[in-house]
Amino acid sequence: MYFNEEKFIRIIVTAGPTIEPIDPVRFISNRSTGVMGYKIAEEALARGHRVTLISGPVKIAPPKAQKFIQIETAEELLAALKKEIKSSDCLIMSAAVSDFRPRKISAKKIKRNNKLSMVLLPNKDILRELTGLKKRNLFIGFSLETENMVNNSYHKLKNKNLDFIVANSVTKQHNPFGNNKLDVNIIGRNKEILKIRKKSKAFIAHVLLDKVEKLWYLRNNN
């Protein structure tokens, strides 16, 4: 389902990891490469939508989105989203946000010692923080699980008031990072599941945008 130039959707796509500094040269992060988010942004642009891409540090050249915002930390991502969400129709939250940050950031490089203890504090739940700004916006989330993928992902969908969620797993047999083909379940609010098996991230982005367009059309033509 392709929209014409007059019916574009204003879409925010978040991509890549966030990083939380420990000292000037070290940080806490995750294995996200940003490929999924960038493929979603490319697909949305190809369909004529207006895209704001907010990205953590990745090794990918960004597509020519209407707006490109680079962030590093979870706090920076939340601040950017609070600013941009007011002029958007849809948020696709594919960024892998670090759940924790160091309580104290050293101003100098920490020298090698026999032991190093670090206190970690939880970062804010970004989608929960944005719930009050959701209004008529579509919110799409991603979930990466090592067990109970469907149930854990559905709980996340309900807890964060999402319209649907893309559930993925990481196991010894299934590496979701980079350009690997994926097995994902797209789960809706009534726990309906669309299963996608061994497909590229570009293919998943295409299916995802089909669902976004259909839901947006239904919501705004009733």
Side-chain angles (χ1 to χ4, degrees):
M1 183 189 300
Y2 285 80
F3 277 39
N4 62 37
E5 192 72 12
E6 297 178 351
K7 293 184 178 180
F8 62 81
I9 306 172
R10 299 170 299 174
I11 301 174
I12 299 173
V13 181
T14 69
T18 63
I19 63 175
E20 306 295 337
I22 296 172
D23 64 17
V25 298
R26 303 181 180 93
F27 56 81
I28 297 171
S29 189
N30 55 65
R31 297 180 185 274
S32 174
T33 61
V35 172
M36 186 75 255
Y38 277 57
K39 292 297 183 183
I40 293 169
E42 291 170 6
E43 179 69 21
L45 287 166
R47 296 178 183 224
H49 300 306
R50 301 295 182 263
V51 176
T52 294
L53 175 59
I54 306 177
S55 177
V58 299
K59 297 179 181 179
I60 312 172
K64 294 182 179 180
Q66 278 69 38
K67 187 179 288 189
F68 177 64
I69 301 170
Q70 292 181 288
I71 56 89
E72 289 192 345
T73 67
E75 286 189 356
E76 291 173 353
L77 176 57
L78 178 57
L81 283 169
K82 283 184 174 179
K83 181 179 179 181
E84 299 298 326
I85 201 71
K86 298 173 184 177
S87 58
S88 73
D89 302 311
C90 173
L91 169 61
I92 303 178
M93 188 74 178
S94 64
V97 181
S98 298
D99 291 321
F100 298 96
R101 69 184 189 279
R103 183 175 69 179
K104 182 180 179 181
I105 303 172
S106 176
K108 298 179 179 180
K109 180 183 177 183
I110 300 171
K111 297 299 183 181
R112 182 191 297 271
N113 293 307
N114 290 331
K115 294 182 179 180
L116 174 64
S117 296
M118 186 182 307
V119 177
L120 301 178
L121 300 177
N123 277 321
K124 291 180 179 178
D125 185 326
I126 290 179
L127 285 169
R128 288 288 297 276
E129 290 285 321
L130 296 174
T131 296
L133 302 174
K134 189 174 188 293
K135 298 181 180 178
R136 290 179 61 85
N137 289 36
L138 300 180
F139 275 21
I140 290 87
F142 278 70
S143 176
L144 181 60
E145 303 290 343
T146 57
E147 59 183 356
N148 300 324
M149 179 178 65
V150 172
N151 287 337
N152 287 342
S153 299
Y154 185 68
H155 176 76
K156 182 177 180 179
L157 177 151
K158 299 294 285 186
N159 191 43
K160 300 175 189 292
N161 192 27
L162 305 178
D163 293 283
F164 59 88
I165 191 166
V166 182
N168 199 358
S169 65
V170 53
T171 66
K172 290 182 179 180
Q173 295 76 33
H174 188 253
N175 178 3
F177 304 110
N179 282 307
N180 295 331
K181 292 186 176 181
L182 301 183
D183 298 339
V184 302
N185 291 343
I186 301 179
I187 306 171
R189 293 180 68 88
N190 296 318
K191 214 171 184 179
E192 67 277 16
I193 298 175
L194 173 60
K195 296 181 179 181
I196 301 175
R197 296 293 179 262
K198 293 182 173 58
K199 296 296 184 181
S200 69
K201 291 183 177 180
F203 179 91
I204 295 168
H206 181 87
V207 174
L208 186 63
L209 264 295
D210 277 350
K211 288 182 69 65
V212 166
E213 289 179 345
K214 181 178 180 180
L215 188 54
W216 180 254
Y217 178 82
L218 291 173
R219 183 170 293 183
N220 288 276
N221 286 273
N222 290 327

